[in-house]
Amino acid sequence: MNIKIIGVGKLKEKYFKQGIAEYAKRLSKFCKFEIVEVADEKAPESLSQSEMDTVMAKEGERILDHIKDKEYVYALAILGKERTSEAFAKEIADLGTYGHSDITFVIGGSLGLTPAVLKRANAQISFGKFTLPHQLMRLVLSEQIYRAFMINSGSPYHK
């Protein structure tokens, strides 16, 4: 199985990099795990709706450039469907069983994801109503992917 996370922006914080590297190492027993960083658009604090749409469109194009037709895509979106860790683990297992061995997760930048990316997604997933920095979300998502594989392997890690 191939798991990819596409994130907007460069991860700068050493502690996030270390945490993600740890989960990447753990995941190597179960899948090929990859993180792709796409450039974020520089944007001042106050933008008009038109400027925000332009920023999101440019970031969206960069994201879509890294998604192949055969990939099953989850878009992380606040309005996406919330899942339990067990339900998420079952989804991952079912995708692998039914021919979707390439799974991609997309984390947008500070303005979110463009409609084109959301349309390409096979599913939207939410980790709740909280707004989290996209850098932190990469770490949380990496852990939940690892947790899914541990649940599926019957490991006590999940408890």
Side-chain angles (χ1 to χ4, degrees):
M1 183 169 277
N2 299 305
I3 305 277
K4 176 169 53 178
I5 297 174
I6 301 174
V8 174
K10 190 151 183 64
L11 205 55
K12 298 173 189 80
E13 295 84 354
K14 186 177 180 182
Y15 50 93
F16 286 142
K17 287 181 181 179
Q18 289 171 329
I20 292 168
E22 176 61 29
Y23 287 113
K25 184 175 83 176
R26 293 179 186 190
L27 279 164
S28 68
K29 290 186 280 191
F30 302 104
C31 65
K32 180 177 178 265
F33 181 73
E34 172 187 18
I35 297 218
V36 175
E37 292 180 333
V38 299
D40 55 348
E41 274 300 298
K42 302 301 174 222
E45 284 296 314
S46 58
L47 295 174
S48 70
Q49 186 61 50
S50 171
E51 291 169 321
M52 284 194 277
D53 292 345
T54 300
V55 166
M56 286 186 359
K58 288 179 181 177
E59 291 174 350
E61 287 171 19
R62 292 179 190 135
I63 290 167
L64 292 170
D65 284 346
H66 290 279
I67 298 174
K68 295 178 181 65
D69 288 344
K70 67 178 181 169
E71 294 174 13
Y72 188 93
V73 177
Y74 282 99
L76 274 70
I78 203 158
L79 298 176
K81 180 182 171 195
E82 292 183 36
R83 293 151 172 85
T84 63
S85 294
E86 295 85 356
F88 181 59
K90 183 177 181 336
E91 268 184 60
I92 297 296
D94 287 350
L95 286 170
T97 300
Y98 298 107
H100 293 285
S101 59
D102 296 302
I103 302 171
T104 297
F105 295 87
V106 178
I107 303 171
S110 58
L111 298 176
L113 292 169
T114 184
V117 174
L118 294 173
K119 185 178 178 198
R120 169 57 185 91
N122 300 88
Q124 292 182 28
I125 189 168
S126 173
F127 283 75
K129 303 285 184 224
F130 286 113
T131 300
L132 298 172
H134 50 275
Q135 299 91 333
L136 175 59
M137 203 58 237
R138 286 187 211 175
L139 177 60
V140 171
L141 177 59
S142 299
E143 191 280 335
Q144 283 298 303
I145 294 168
Y146 175 68
R147 181 177 296 272
F149 279 102
M150 295 305 284
I151 289 169
N152 291 336
S153 70
S155 166
Y157 170 85
H158 174 58
K159 303 294 180 213

